């Protein structure tokens, strides 16, 4: 150490004096201390100040270096089976880590295209986010190499790994995204598990379907070489995540009708392909999907591969909304007399008017217990009206002339929006028993409002908003207006969100 006081700048060990020579720092990049080791530092007496006053006391102090960083947990743990194919893989460290070295040190084998690694807020948790769902019944290994370093540059104590076998989709809340290149129709369907939406962890959507492109130099019908052969116009995941309904459009034939595929989102196996189907909506128990056809409203049950056509009526203007018992359906329709709201029963296969509701109406929102229906009316009776569907039915009543309903937070709280003078839209919650309104700290523009979706649980909102590089992205937010979390657009960095829905 004595020679360090006279060492030149850049030496492996040297002393650097503080301003005024009141203290010094011992730099030792060429002699790194061992981890988890006690050292004794001694400053012998005999040193003196410029006036010649000598300090004769020996000074000693002990320090213990911190342990090398270590992996506390791997999720899933080694030997796990039936791991959800759409869940992020999580590495938890003993100390905050360097994001650059740590992200490079975490990998998955076999690799999945579009996979990225991202840290949580405190840099002790890192998530491996696959670009596509894991393949069921396949064994993977999550690896963390000792190239990972902590915030002080210390390497991980040792390489660790976890082997596990993939199962099927998680049954938790999901967002379903339609993704596409700017200026092009949606070319991918992706799903994002929302279990960590409020913990600060990043969320990425995993691509489930990718539409083919024309590979013939002379073109494919009306589609040029390299362009989309068909596009996705809607997609919705069933509760429990057993089924995915996707509406497709063949672009190679001008005017080709839409068709709907019902498939297993984990394996991609198609259960049914229904020509002419659109506007799908899953029942709360996940057993049936209601949809529009040229002949009217229909219901398909994938478990038994059966379809039912309900009595005819005006065509659907939006996907139907189910009641909690997977029986009642609320229909938003549009006919010669304009927009209307009707009811249907999927069990006895009947369509009928909403009791007490007269004239045109739109934007229906059914309460979680199916006892109240909020609708928007225009004209002299403009505003959001509340219709009672319960045993004690009453005359519809006006809540707010400025309000448009979008969903329910709970059985007594309606979520809606009010248009401001500048053309923006302010989400509000309404206590329906009193009419009291509370403004949410979110301001949506017209495009975001068009994409707004409320989770069936009432806990989350989803909408589209500006993202990086000018691309639209999906955003998840708590229903109280807190914790907005953007959803990464799967593995396609050049793709933007075209639509988002919550199951």
């Amino acid at each position: 150490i004595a020679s360090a006081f006279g060492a030149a700048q850049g030496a492996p060990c040297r002393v650097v004096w503080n301003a005024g020579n009141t203290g010094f720092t011992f730099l030792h990049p060429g002699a790194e201390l061992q981890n988890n080791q006690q050292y004794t530092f001694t400053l012998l007496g005999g040193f003196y100040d410029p006036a010649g006053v000598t300090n004769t006391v020996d000074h000693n102090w002990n320090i213990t270096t911190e342990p090398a960083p270590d992996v506390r947990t791997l999720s899933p743990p080694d030997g796990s089976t039936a791991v959800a194919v759409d869940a992020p893989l999580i590495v938890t460290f003993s100390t905050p880590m360097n994001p650059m070295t740590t992200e490079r040190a975490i990998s998955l084998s076999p690799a999945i295209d579009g996979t990225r690694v991202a840290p949580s807020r405190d840099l002790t948790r890192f998530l491996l986010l696959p670009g596509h769902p894991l393949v069921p019944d396949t064994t993977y290994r999550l690896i963390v190499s000792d190239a990972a370093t902590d915030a002080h540059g210390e390497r991980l104590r040792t390489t660790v790994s976890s082997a596990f076998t993939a199962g099927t989709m998680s049954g938790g809340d999901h967002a379903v995204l339609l993704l596409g290149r700017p200026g092009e129709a949606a070319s991918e369907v992706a799903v994002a598990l929302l279990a960590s939406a409020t913990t600060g962890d990043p969320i990425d959507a995993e691509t489930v379907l990718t539409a083919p492109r024309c590979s013939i130099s002379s073109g494919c019908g009306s589609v040029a070489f390299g362009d989309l052969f068909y596009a996705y116009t809607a997609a919705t995941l069933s509760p429990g995540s057993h089924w995915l309904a996707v509406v497709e459009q063949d672009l190679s034939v001008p005017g080709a009708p839409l068709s709907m595929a019902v498939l297993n989102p984990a394996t991609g196996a198609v259960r049914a392909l229904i020509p002419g189907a659109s506007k799908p909506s899953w029942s709360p128990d996940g057993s049936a999907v209601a949809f529009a056809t040229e002949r009217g409203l229909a219901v398909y049950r994938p478990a038994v591969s059966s379809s039912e056509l309900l009595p005819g009526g005006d065509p659907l203007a939006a996907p139907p909304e189910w009641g909690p018992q997977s029986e009642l359906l609320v229909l938003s329709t549009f006919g010669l007399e304009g927009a209307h709201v009707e009811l249907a029963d999927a069990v006895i296969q009947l369509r009928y008017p909403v009791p007490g509701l007269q004239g045109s109406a739109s934007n229906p929102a059914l309460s979680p217990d199916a006892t109240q229906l909020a609708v928007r009316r225009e004209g002299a009776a403009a505003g959001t009206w509340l219709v009672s569907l319960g045993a004690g039915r009453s005359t519809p009543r006006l809540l707010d002339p400025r309000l448009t309903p979008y969903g329910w937070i709970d059985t007594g709280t309606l979520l809606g929006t009010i248009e401001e003078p500048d053309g923006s839209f302010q989400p509000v919650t309404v206590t329906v028993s009193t009419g009291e309104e509370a403004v949410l700290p979110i301001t949506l523009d017209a495009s975001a409002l068009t994409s707004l979706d409320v989770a069936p649980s009432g806990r989350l909102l989803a909408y589209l908003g500006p993202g990086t590089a000018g691309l639209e992205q999906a955003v998840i937010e708590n229903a109280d207006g807190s914790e907005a979390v953007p959803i990464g657009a799967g593995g396609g960095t050049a793709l933007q969100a075209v639509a988002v829905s919550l199951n």
Side-chain angles (χ1 to χ4, degrees):
I1 293 180
S3 61
F5 280 86
Q9 184 175 355
C13 296
R14 64 191 179 94
V15 167
V16 177
W17 285 95
N18 298 343
N21 293 337
T22 58
F24 61 85
T25 301
F26 176 46
L27 303 177
H28 54 97
E32 294 184 5
L33 304 181
Q34 297 181 22
N35 294 107
N36 201 27
Q37 176 68 45
Q38 179 175 299
Y39 290 87
T40 300
F41 284 80
T42 302
L43 181 62
L44 297 176
F47 56 90
Y48 52 87
D49 64 16
V53 178
T54 302
N55 187 319
T56 60
V57 179
D58 293 345
H59 298 268
N60 300 279
W61 63 95
N62 297 325
I63 66 167
T64 301
T65 56
E66 66 179 13
D70 208 349
V71 172
R72 289 271 175 86
T73 60
L74 290 176
S75 179
D78 189 48
S80 297
T81 59
V83 172
V85 299
D86 54 332
L89 312 179
I90 303 172
V91 182
T92 304
F93 294 93
S94 59
T95 187
M97 301 296 286
N98 179 303
M100 184 177 297
T101 61
T102 305
E103 289 172 21
R104 291 198 299 257
I106 300 175
S107 61
L108 183 67
S109 179
I112 294 178
D113 289 343
T115 296
R116 74 179 182 103
V117 176
S120 64
R121 290 173 179 168
D122 62 4
L123 299 181
T124 62
R125 282 164 46 88
F126 283 71
L127 284 74
L128 186 144
L129 304 166
H132 300 265
L134 307 178
V135 178
D137 301 321
T138 299
T139 298
Y140 292 88
R141 184 171 292 274
L142 174 61
I143 304 166
V144 187
S145 81
D146 61 4
T149 61
D150 66 12
H152 305 293
E154 293 289 339
R155 290 174 67 100
L156 195 67
R157 184 172 61 85
T158 185
T159 295
V160 296
S161 66
S162 168
F164 60 91
T165 303
T168 187
M169 294 280 289
S170 167
D173 292 343
H174 288 79
V176 181
L177 280 69
L178 297 184
L179 306 173
R181 297 177 183 175
E184 192 176 69
S187 58
E188 291 190 7
V189 178
V191 296
L193 181 62
L194 303 181
S196 60
T198 60
T199 67
D201 287 341
I203 299 175
D204 265 17
E206 300 180 353
T207 300
V208 177
L209 295 174
T210 300
R213 294 180 178 272
C214 178
S215 59
I216 302 174
S217 58
S218 59
C220 306
S222 61
V223 174
F225 173 73
D227 288 347
L228 279 178
F229 194 81
Y230 62 83
Y232 303 114
T233 65
T236 180
L237 190 66
S238 69
S241 308
H242 299 299
W243 305 103
L244 178 69
V246 180
V247 180
E248 307 167 348
Q249 184 169 31
D250 186 349
L251 301 179
S252 66
V253 180
L258 299 174
S259 62
M260 183 179 73
V262 178
L263 53 92
N264 183 324
T267 65
V270 176
R271 182 67 167 178
L273 184 62
I274 305 174
S278 64
K279 302 179 177 62
S281 174
W282 286 100
S283 61
D285 62 7
S287 67
V289 57
F291 56 94
T293 71
E294 291 183 354
R295 300 173 58 194
L297 173 68
V299 175
Y300 173 72
R301 304 182 187 278
V304 292
S305 297
S306 68
S307 293
E308 305 150 5
L309 182 66
L310 275 69
D314 287 339
L316 296 184
E321 183 176 358
W322 287 84
Q325 303 303 318
S326 298
E327 178 177 353
L328 177 68
L329 286 161
V330 180
L331 312 179
S332 180
T333 64
F334 194 88
L336 296 177
E337 298 180 359
H340 293 274
V341 175
E342 303 176 43
L343 300 179
D345 190 306
V347 175
I348 62 176
Q349 301 177 29
L350 177 68
R351 286 176 68 162
Y352 55 98
V354 178
L357 182 63
Q358 303 294 326
S360 65
S362 62
N363 290 77
L366 183 66
S367 66
D369 60 1
T371 63
Q372 301 179 92
L373 178 66
V375 299
R376 173 73 189 183
R377 302 184 68 184
E378 303 296 344
T384 289
W385 287 76
L386 197 64
V387 182
S388 175
L389 301 180
R393 294 175 181 172
S394 58
T395 302
R397 64 186 176 93
L398 177 64
L399 287 179
D400 187 332
R402 306 167 299 160
L403 184 70
T404 299
Y406 274 88
W408 292 75
I409 304 301
D410 53 49
T411 55
T413 309
L414 180 68
L415 173 70
T417 61
I418 293 176
E419 185 174 3
E420 301 292 353
D422 63 358
S424 64
F425 295 86
Q426 186 67 62
V428 298
T429 58
V430 183
T431 302
V432 295
S433 61
T434 64
E436 181 181 358
E437 296 179 356
V439 175
L440 298 182
I442 314 170
T443 300
L444 304 175
D445 60 19
S447 62
L449 182 65
T450 302
S451 63
L452 180 64
D453 192 35
V454 183
S457 65
R459 296 183 298 107
L460 294 173
L461 312 177
Y463 54 90
L464 301 184
T468 58
L471 301 178
E472 287 280 289
Q473 66 179 2
V475 178
I476 299 297
E477 191 154 353
N478 289 333
D480 62 4
S482 65
E483 195 72 29
V485 181
I487 301 179
T493 56
L495 299 181
Q496 67 178 356
V498 177
V500 59
S501 63
L502 301 174
N503 78 324

